[in-house]
Amino acid sequence: QVQLVHSGGGLVQPGGSLRLSCAASGSIFSIDAMGWYRQAPGKQRELVALITSGGSTDYADSVKGRFTISRDNAKNTVYLQMNSLKPEDTAVYCCYAGSVHSGSGSYHHLWGQGTQVTVSS
């Protein structure tokens, strides 16, 4: 069984920074695209950033220039560095993996458990 496990998140003041991590557990061979989504209260879930297995990235317009997605394939981990945080970035952030190929099989459309990010003074 493969799981995505988050770390990071919490409370930060406007203008501050946070770093989220998400590691895939299990006997992993490879992972296709990975990304971060977020959902604020009363709003739809939105894509924040996406990174392919080759390292190509895509970002929501609202976070371009402030957030950076990266991955360490050797550690089966994806990161989201969030700088210049704004109150409107407050949301539950979830990592996502399109396909994870492991010793126990291939798993598709996996989600992490989510982590709360609150930007407030």
Side-chain angles (χ1 to χ4, degrees):
Q1 186 73 18
V2 172
Q3 291 183 320
L4 300 180
V5 180
H6 287 224
S7 61
L11 174 65
V12 65
Q13 292 187 341
S17 298
L18 280 176
R19 189 193 197 206
L20 306 181
S21 301
C22 174
S25 64
S27 179
I28 308 296
F29 297 149
S30 63
I31 305 176
D32 296 342
M34 301 184 78
W36 291 92
Y37 286 75
R38 68 185 180 187
Q39 187 166 18
K43 294 188 176 181
Q44 288 189 334
R45 183 174 61 194
E46 63 171 344
L47 174 66
V48 176
L50 196 68
I51 185 167
T52 68
S53 57
S56 297
T57 59
D58 193 21
Y59 296 92
D61 287 342
S62 59
V63 307
K64 283 180 180 176
R66 300 188 298 121
F67 291 10
T68 302
I69 189 170
S70 61
R71 62 190 289 170
D72 185 333
N73 291 331
K75 295 181 178 180
N76 300 313
T77 300
V78 63
Y79 305 95
L80 186 68
Q81 178 66 44
M82 303 183 292
N83 299 329
S84 302
L85 282 160
K86 305 175 181 179
E88 51 264 43
D89 294 317
T90 295
V92 174
Y93 286 69
C94 282
C95 71
Y96 166 83
S99 293
V100 179
H101 308 285
S102 75
S104 61
S106 293
Y107 302 84
H108 307 286
H109 305 300
L110 295 182
W111 293 92
Q113 78 274 22
T115 188
Q116 178 69 44
V117 171
T118 302
V119 185
S120 176
S121 56

